[in-house]
Amino acid sequence: MTPSTVDLLFLTFNCAKALINTPVFANHLEAAFGQNATDLPDLIVLSLQEVAPLSYAFIGDYFLRPYIERFDTAINQAASQHVLKHEVPDLVSATERATQRKRYELMKSKNVGYTAILLFAKDSSRIRDIKESEVGFGAADMGNKGAVGLRTVYDAGESGSAELTFVATHLAAMEWNLPRRNANWASIMRCMTFGDPLPLLELMRSGSPPPSDGGTQEEGAGLLQGERNLPDFDMLQKQLQELSLFKPTSHLFVGGDLNYRISTSSPPPNAAFPSLDAGSDNYYPRFFDLDQLTREKAAGRTMHGLTEAPVHFPPTYKYDVLETDGKDGDTMDPVPWRFAPHRYPSWTDRILYMDLPSWVAPEQGRSIKVHAYDALPLMRTSDHRPVFLRIEAPMLSLSDLTPTTESLATSTDPRVRLPTELDPEAWERRAAARRRELLLGWSMFLWSTKEGACILATFLVASLSAYWVYRSA
């Protein structure tokens, strides 16, 4: 029998620290909904980089809310537009046309500095057990660059369920920083765990038997007692694997501004750039052979075990938006642009997923189906183009996804054998980095924003007034 599936849309966008234009974003997203599909997806996941100015992003909460709310509004506006376009008009009431009721609920938003992840569900009752994780690999482990993850169960009742892991990330920038990007990914594999691994690792380290005090009988008794005290290493290793990014029974999706380029140096003057003209000698698909992500992944240095759908869209970075005479920020017309001359145009914005493991029998319907992998049009607020992946993942039983005895012994799949050891101190370091982020965020807010200047001025006036009253008393 063909298993049920969960239909999801994963979108990544570098927001360039600006509020999005809600109607424009909604219009582009509505077009994405209709690409090789007519129904709305069950889930929408947004991976956002440079989601807000750094001080706002480090403080979070209240300061991030206006930026997050615009995406919430845009998604529901796009969904309503899609329904009105594809459903039979007689079945759509006049009230619904007027109100454009909310079709998606924001289940969870989480950020680590500049990088945020948003999970929306069409049916909120099907979402349970949301877990989160975060990694900072900016200065002092802070989140000016980092990754944030969500793990949840999509429960469709009798139709089945699926555990899903989503990671939003922003890797190191600049052409020459290729080793740093790979190191960032290694940090994600080591430090992104959906539970603190330290207690389990300490149990594994404490597995030595207690010392005996001499004598044949006592020595034998001590060995037996030591065997009883030895932890079950296989069980502990299994539990560590389930905390890790590569949980065997969870579908994994990773997307963001991965920053992989087509060169390790900046372009010289008059360098050949990719062209969108199919008749040009520099037609952009010919440059994709230089893509660092494809090469590094094939060499086993990044994105271990992950798969990417074929890339047929143009480079997504770096664009210069050209000025026009009119005030056309709210129009749906194409944005005039050129590639920025000081950066090689590259496919920096990508989404990858982990395909079904080899031990899952390839029966009918047991596959991950990609419906669309494409870039949205450029928007005036950013020098990146958003990229989205529309994909269906099967809802398989735990017994189907659990590694077999043979695969445990021979497979090199990351869901069986982790590519790197987990970092036992990652959670503690991240907590310390979060405290530094709050301190730095408030300092930047007070000294570099108009709102902060008003607060400082008010505090200064109040202090001087209090001092004057005190001296006058």
Side-chain angles (χ1 to χ4, degrees), residues 1-274:
M1 184 177 70
T2 302
S4 299
T5 60
V6 53
D7 180 6
L8 66 95
L9 185 143
F10 192 125
L11 182 144
T12 179
F13 181 41
N14 187 312
C15 308
K17 298 171 279 190
L19 291 162
I20 61 165
N21 184 314
T22 303
V24 172
F25 189 88
N27 191 62
H28 294 330
L29 185 59
E30 192 278 322
F33 286 156
Q35 192 162 329
N36 300 328
T38 55
D39 294 332
L40 291 172
D42 300 312
L43 301 176
I44 298 174
V45 180
L46 300 186
S47 166
L48 306 175
Q49 308 84 47
E50 298 187 12
V51 64
L54 189 57
S55 59
Y56 292 3
F58 273 173
I59 299 170
D61 298 330
Y62 170 81
F63 292 93
L64 272 184
R65 195 174 303 155
Y67 296 85
I68 302 303
E69 286 176 348
R70 290 208 178 192
F71 285 101
D72 191 339
T73 302
I75 284 175
N76 282 287
Q77 183 176 327
S80 294
Q81 291 174 197
H82 182 81
V83 169
L84 293 175
K85 182 182 292 186
H86 289 85
E87 287 192 1
V88 179
D90 293 341
L91 299 180
V92 183
S93 67
T95 302
E96 185 169 339
R97 287 176 180 273
T99 60
Q100 292 190 344
R101 68 177 178 86
K102 194 168 185 178
R103 298 180 181 276
Y104 284 94
E105 183 175 344
L106 177 60
M107 304 303 300
K108 185 68 178 180
S109 66
K110 174 77 175 173
N111 78 294
V112 52
Y114 268 145
T115 305
I117 188 167
L118 279 60
L119 171 64
F120 294 86
K122 191 165 61 173
D123 184 350
S124 60
S125 66
R126 295 190 171 190
I127 300 298
R128 59 179 176 85
D129 300 337
I130 299 178
K131 299 176 182 177
E132 57 191 50
S133 183
E134 59 187 71
V135 181
F137 31 77
D141 292 329
M142 290 190 290
N144 48 312
K145 288 288 190 293
V148 57
L150 296 178
R151 175 170 286 167
T152 187
V153 174
Y154 182 84
D155 191 345
E158 294 182 357
S159 298
S161 64
E163 189 171 50
L164 306 161
T165 301
F166 304 104
V167 177
T169 187
H170 192 184
L171 305 186
M174 310 305 291
E175 284 89 348
W176 45 266
N177 235 350
L178 176 59
R180 184 73 174 273
R181 285 187 275 280
N182 291 345
N184 290 163
W185 169 248
S187 294
I188 294 174
M189 292 193 295
R190 286 196 310 271
C191 302
M192 181 163 283
T193 56
F194 294 86
D196 190 351
L198 184 58
L200 292 175
L201 291 169
E202 287 180 341
L203 274 176
M204 296 182 75
R205 291 169 179 169
S206 64
S208 57
S212 64
D213 54 358
T216 305
Q217 185 174 354
E218 290 81 359
E219 183 177 351
L223 288 172
L224 290 173
Q225 182 65 35
E227 289 175 1
R228 286 195 293 270
N229 289 338
L230 283 173
D232 186 339
F233 283 99
D234 290 340
M235 179 59 69
L236 292 176
Q237 188 62 46
K238 179 182 177 182
Q239 292 174 354
L240 283 174
Q241 185 85 41
E242 291 178 349
L243 289 180
S244 76
L245 188 65
F246 300 106
K247 185 176 182 180
T249 56
S250 180
H251 297 296
L252 173 61
F253 304 88
V254 178
D257 182 357
L258 305 185
N259 257 321
Y260 286 97
R261 312 299 177 92
I262 62 172
S263 174
T264 55
S265 61
S266 300
N270 302 318
F273 273 17

Side-chain angles (χ1 to χ4, degrees), residues 174-176 178 181 259-267 271-275 282 284-295 314-317 339 343-348 350:
M174 310 305 291
E175 284 89 348
W176 45 266
L178 176 59
R181 285 187 275 280
N259 257 321
Y260 286 97
R261 312 299 177 92
I262 62 172
S263 174
T264 55
S265 61
S266 300
F273 273 17
S275 169
N282 295 323
Y284 70 85
R286 297 167 187 166
F287 285 77
F288 193 73
D289 290 340
L290 304 174
D291 177 58
Q292 292 176 347
L293 175 57
T294 304
R295 292 183 172 188
T316 59
Y317 172 85
F339 283 125
R343 293 280 178 264
Y344 271 113
S346 299
W347 288 264
T348 58
R350 311 282 276 275

Side-chain angles (χ1 to χ4, degrees), residues 358-373:
S358 59
W359 55 84
V360 173
E363 299 172 3
Q364 183 181 10
R366 289 171 174 256
S367 64
I368 291 180
K369 299 176 182 177
V370 175
H371 293 290
Y373 185 40

